[in-house]
Every structure is written in C-alpha cells, then in structure tokens.
C-alpha cells in the first residue's frame, strides 16, 4: 500500500492592523485612549511639565531685562517698546522649543519598548502619533498662557484681543507642523540624545537667524535674506501684525504655506517610519 503524504495547511500570516482598515471612529477612539494614557503619565511625572512652565518665564525675563534696553533703543523707544516687539516673537519661539520635546519623548518610549507594545495592538498606527501631538498641544497652550501672564506683568499691552487669539491659534497650528518634523526625527534616531542634538541643529539657526528677538535690518545681506524667508520670522511678524497692528497678509500666507508643506511631507513620513521600524 502506497504511503500517503499529508501536508499540513500553511498557517495564515499574521497581519498587523493597518490604518486603512480602521474607520474614522476607530481612529478617534484610539487617539482618545492614547491621549488619556499620555495625560496620566504626565500626572505621574509632573517634572515633565517643568519646561512648559518655566521656559516662558525664564526666557521672557531674560530677554526683556538683559536685551530690552539696548534693542528697545534701536527700535526707537526703550524697554517698553521692546516688550511689544518681543512677545509675539516669543509665541513663535514656544512653538519651536516645545516641539522638540515631542521627538525626544517619543524616542524614549521607543527605547523603553512602549511603542513595540502599541504596534502589537490592533490600533491605527497614526493614532499613536496624533495622540502625542494632541497632548503636546495642551502643553503648548499652558506655556502660552504663562507667557502672556508674564508679558502683562512686564508691561505688554494687548491692543487687539481677537488678534491675540488669532496669533495664538496660528502659532499652535505652525507648531503642530514642527511636531511632525521632530516626531520623524524621534522615530528614526537611535537615541534621545541624538534627537536633542539634531533638534538643536535645527533650532539654533531658525531661532537666531530670524526676527524673533531683533529686527533683521541690521543683519548682513545673506543672513537677512535667510531671515526674511525663515518661517519663524513670518510667524513672528504675522503675530505682531495681529496683536499690535501692522501688515499681516504676506507673513500669514508664508506661515500657512510652510505649515501645509511641512505637514504634508513629514506626517506621512513619520507614520510610515513608525509602522516599519524594527
């Protein structure tokens, strides 16, 4: 009698949950649960809020009382004149500085294995990143409120309340696009120290090669050209126009253009790298 070879059926491949198989309601539910997780983590580690609380206080007082007199004279006034110039620029600075912590924190979660656990769950991959950005935006909002309170104490005058709200919204919108940049760095970098190093290489030229802290008119021609098209300059100048009066249209469109461009490129890249990272 001839032997019959029995072939076991091949095991069905394990398929990871993909974003395109999860509906909008599922994404929202997953994002909300992950936001709650991130907020509970902040509650357990309140020291993680030190940068959001202390940065606007320290930097505002530092620039106002160290540089305010000399730069204010260059602006044709004094320290009070510089306060009116500085505060809208500080909104842009908060958008950049707070964004870097997103990439650092995300990379630390990767190193601890937290993200491996998330990727093993049947949840949308993008929900993990969206939840991180949403909670970070709450930190940015808190930092902005503290910045405005300190600014009022050092003499800032709110000339247009609606313009102030618009400037805060514009700053947070642009900050969200920067968060995608730093999330992409956080996903691809091998350590949190690498994220911080790359972050400072991005931050320093953008911050000081701009109109955040001083007008660009006294800069060398090549640096002035860079500063004039620097998205932080556009954000700061648009915020000044909205908060204290002045032209807004050109800087507003430049800021919105940079926001759309960075988000369109970096958001899909960050989600894809997170999904495929080993």
């Amino acid at each position: 009698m001839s032997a019959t070879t029995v072939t076991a059926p091949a095991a069905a491949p394990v398929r990871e949950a993909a974003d395109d198989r999860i509906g909008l309601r599922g994404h929202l539910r997953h994002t909300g649960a992950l936001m709650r997780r991130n907020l509970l983590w902040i509650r357990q580690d309140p020291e993680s809020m030190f940068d959001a609380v202390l940065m606007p206080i320290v930097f505002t007082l530092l620039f106002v009382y160290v540089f305010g007199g000399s730069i204010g004279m260059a602006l044709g006034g004094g320290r009070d004149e510089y306060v009116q110039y500085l505060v809208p620029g500080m909104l842009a600075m908060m958008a950049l500085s707070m964004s870097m912590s997103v990439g650092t924190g995300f990379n630390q979660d990767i190193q601890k294995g937290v993200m491996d656990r998330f990727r093993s769950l049947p949840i949308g991959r993008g929900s993990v990143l969206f939840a991180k950005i949403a909670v970070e935006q709450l930190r940015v909002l808190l930092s902005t409120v503290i910045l405005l309170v300190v600014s009022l104490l050092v003499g800032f005058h709110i000339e247009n309340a609606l313009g102030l709200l618009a400037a805060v919204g514009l700053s947070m919108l642009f900050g969200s696009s920067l968060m995608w940049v730093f999330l992409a760095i956080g996903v691809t970098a091998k350590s949190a120290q690498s994220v911080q190093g790359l972050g400072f290489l991005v931050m320093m030229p953008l911050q000081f090669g701009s109109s955040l802290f001083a007008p660009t008119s006294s800069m060398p021609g090549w640096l002035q050209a860079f500063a004039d098209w620097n998205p932080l300059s556009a954000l700061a100048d648009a915020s000044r126009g909205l908060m204290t009066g002045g032209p807004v249209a050109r800087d507003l469109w430049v800021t919105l253009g940079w926001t759309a461009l960075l988000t369109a490129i970096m958001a899909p890249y960050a989600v894809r790298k997170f999904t495929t990272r080993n």
Side-chain angles (χ1 to χ4, degrees):
M1 183 174 65
S2 60
T4 303
T5 303
V6 179
T7 304
V14 178
R15 301 176 63 184
E16 295 184 353
D19 286 357
D20 57 0
R21 294 195 296 274
I22 298 176
L24 177 61
R25 182 178 298 179
H27 275 292
L28 294 175
R29 186 173 65 254
H30 299 159
T31 301
L34 290 167
M35 285 178 61
R36 182 175 181 272
R37 176 259 175 191
N38 292 336
L39 290 171
L40 288 174
W41 178 257
I42 292 176
R43 182 181 176 182
Q44 295 296 322
D45 183 23
E47 293 180 0
S48 63
M49 293 296 295
F50 280 2
D51 59 338
V53 173
L54 297 179
M55 189 182 300
I57 299 174
V58 172
F59 277 93
T60 302
L61 297 178
L62 178 67
F63 279 96
V64 168
Y65 291 108
V66 174
F67 303 110
S70 57
I71 300 179
M73 291 178 62
L75 292 171
R79 183 173 288 115
D80 292 340
E81 183 75 16
Y82 184 61
V83 170
Q84 295 299 110
Y85 182 89
L86 174 68
V87 173
M90 290 294 294
L91 284 178
M93 180 184 171
M94 290 296 104
L96 177 61
S97 300
M98 297 292 292
S99 298
M100 189 176 72
S101 64
V102 178
T104 304
F106 200 81
N107 187 273
Q108 289 175 338
D109 282 344
I110 290 175
Q111 302 305 322
K112 294 175 182 177
V114 176
M115 293 305 164
D116 290 335
R117 174 59 177 162
F118 287 159
R119 292 197 302 172
S120 70
L121 298 174
I123 60 176
R125 300 296 178 258
S127 300
V128 180
L129 284 76
F130 279 111
K132 191 74 174 178
I133 287 180
V135 171
E136 195 63 27
Q137 287 283 39
L138 295 178
R139 286 181 5 104
V140 172
L141 184 60
L142 172 63
S143 186
T144 301
V145 171
I146 295 173
L147 167 65
L148 294 175
V149 171
V150 175
S151 300
L152 291 173
L153 294 176
V154 298
F156 181 70
H157 302 291
I158 299 176
E159 300 181 9
N160 187 339
L162 291 178
L164 171 63
L165 295 177
V168 171
L170 182 65
S171 176
M172 295 184 66
L173 181 64
F174 180 72
S176 68
S177 68
L178 291 178
M179 290 177 191
W180 284 113
V181 175
F182 285 106
L183 271 178
I185 296 175
V187 171
T188 55
K190 295 185 179 299
S191 67
Q193 290 79 7
S194 300
V195 178
Q196 290 178 337
L198 291 172
F200 278 113
L201 288 177
V202 173
M203 286 175 56
M204 298 304 287
L206 288 178
Q207 280 185 340
F208 293 100
S210 70
S211 63
L212 262 64
F213 312 121
T216 63
S217 55
S218 61
M219 296 180 180
W222 61 270
L223 183 57
Q224 184 175 349
F226 171 80
D228 288 342
W229 286 100
N230 185 335
L232 289 184
S233 292
L235 175 58
D237 293 340
S239 298
R240 290 186 184 102
L242 290 168
M243 296 169 69
T244 62
V248 173
R250 182 262 183 191
D251 295 307
L252 176 62
W253 285 112
V254 170
T255 303
L256 292 176
W258 275 107
T259 300
L261 179 64
L262 291 175
T263 303
I265 295 174
M266 302 311 298
Y269 176 80
V271 174
R272 184 172 65 253
K273 293 298 291 186
F274 172 65
T275 303
T276 59
R277 175 171 174 144
N278 294 323

